[in-house]
């Protein structure tokens, strides 16, 4: 059966060259030490012996096998490298230099694929090491248990230790990869949920925009009908012009109603007829009153001519609706995240050309462990509304551990400003 190719090779692999340099260098150093100290009585071939050059050739072939196959065909590389151990049994006491390549090949093979699929290969490599080391021991004159034990001990060191080490490293690498994939999946899920929240909020704003336009256009249609009956100067021309205005406003009202049908949720109940209720800055007082009636510790403070600014028309209906919704969402967040904490709503119209809406809550008296919940998207809706009306939104924690939301609404026309956050919430 053809071994599947595993693509884990790095662009430049210097490990085989390092293994070759170390193994050949150790072999040469062993010969030098042996010749310099004849009393050591090591069973080593000298530089002039053909066995030394044969062993150097075996070491070279091991390095070549590592370079060619350790990253693409790890099982083949391990068996070829392990076969070098019995081939180099003539090294005698220096047989250990051949085991260096076996350790590297084993480590790479276990990292490249699961150890279970390598069982036959690992058994074969172990057998080759045992045979090679045992043959070396016999050649050196060892007998009995020395021959039997030498092979398994060397196999344990050259195959078993790298196997365990590679298993630990591979498990840690897999765990890190799994965490990275989980984090990416969570990030994608978070982005998808945010996008869904944005789309839902935009749909809700489209409905509310329709309601506002429908309210005003209905009034225009009624007024133009009255004007057509009251004008006495050039009555025929006035009637024609008024009829055209009424026809256009009625067509626009019809088109807006058709558009909102497309924007509504499929499973949402059909809207009922009747007068349209538009939330405005003046309705914030009722909103605070409803919260107080529900038992919340909420206060309302105004500064400057708030009522005059709201009634003058300098703050458009959509901007007034945005201010109302921001206060509504901020109070809901305060009740959810800081239950029982005092909360204040401030409407400030002292600055010319700007109406500031501030909702601030103090930290709760008793901090309980936060209950597990899905991430909130209320601030997403606030941001969308602020950007749509040219307002500026800021939110974040206060110095005393509470939370505040500040909406700065332009008076007299939208002046686009950035939407910034000082923290997380909502």
């Amino acid at each position: 059966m053809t071994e599947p190719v595993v693509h884990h090779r790095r662009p430049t692999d210097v490990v085989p060259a390092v293994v070759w340099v170390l193994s050949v260098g150790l072999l040469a150093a062993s010969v030098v030490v042996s010749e310099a100290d004849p009393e050591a009585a090591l069973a080593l071939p000298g530089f002039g012996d053909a066995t030394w050059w044969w062993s150097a050739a075996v070491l070279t072939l091991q390095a070549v096998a590592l370079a060619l196959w350790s990253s693409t065909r790890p099982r083949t590389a391990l068996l070829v490298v392990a076969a070098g151990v019995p081939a180099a049994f003539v090294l005698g006491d220096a047989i250990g230099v051949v085991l260096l390549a076996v350790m590297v090949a084993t480590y790479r093979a276990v990292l490249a694929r699961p150890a279970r699929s390598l069982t036959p290969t690992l058994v074969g490599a172990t057998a080759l090491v045992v045979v090679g080391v045992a043959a070396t021991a016999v050649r050196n004159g060892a007998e009995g248990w020395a021959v039997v034990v030498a092979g398994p001990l060397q196999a344990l060191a050259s195959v078993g230790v790298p196997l365990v080490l590679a298993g630990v490293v591979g498990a840690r690498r897999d765990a890190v990869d799994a965490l990275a994939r989980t984090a990416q999946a969570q990030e994608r899920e978070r982005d998808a949920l945010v996008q869904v929240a944005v789309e839902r909020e935009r749909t809700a704003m489209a409905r509310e925009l329709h309601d506002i336009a429908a309210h005003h256009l209905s009034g225009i249609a009624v007024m133009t009908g009255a004007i057509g009956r009251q004008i006495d100067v050039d009555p025929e021309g006035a009637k024609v012009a008024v009829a055209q205005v009424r026809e256009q406003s009625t067509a626009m009202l019809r088109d807006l109603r058709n558009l909102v049908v497309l924007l509504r949720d499929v499973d949402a109940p059909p809207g009922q007829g009747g007068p349209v209720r538009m939330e405005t800055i003046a309705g914030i007082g009722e909103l605070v009153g409803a919260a107080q009636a529900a038992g919340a510790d909420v206060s309302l403070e105004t500064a400057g001519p708030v009522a005059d600014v709201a009634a003058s028309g300098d703050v458009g209906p959509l901007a007034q609706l945005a201010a109302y919704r921001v206060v509504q969402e901020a109070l809901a967040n305060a009740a959810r995240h800081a239950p029982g904490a005092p909360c204040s709503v401030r409407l400030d119209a002292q600055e010319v050309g700007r109406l500031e809406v501030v909702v601030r809550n103090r930290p709760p008296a008793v901090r309980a462990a936060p209950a597990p919940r899905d991430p909130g998207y209320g601030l997403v809706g606030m941001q969308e509304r602020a950007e749509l009306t040219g307002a500026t939104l800021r939110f974040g924690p206060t110095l005393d551990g509470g939370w505040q939301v500040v909406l700065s609404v332009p008076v007299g026309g939208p002046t686009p400003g950035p939407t910034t956050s000082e923290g997380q919430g909502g």
Side-chain angles (χ1 to χ4, degrees), residues 115-143:
R116 288 185 177 180
S117 65
L118 287 174
T119 300
T121 304
L122 293 173
V123 171
T126 302
L128 288 171
V129 172
V130 171
V131 170
V133 173
T136 302
V138 172
R139 186 175 186 276
N140 291 344
E143 297 178 355

Side-chain angles (χ1 to χ4, degrees), residues 69-80:
W69 300 316
S70 65
S71 296
T72 57
R73 298 180 179 274
R75 287 189 280 194
T76 301
L78 177 55
L79 290 176
V80 171

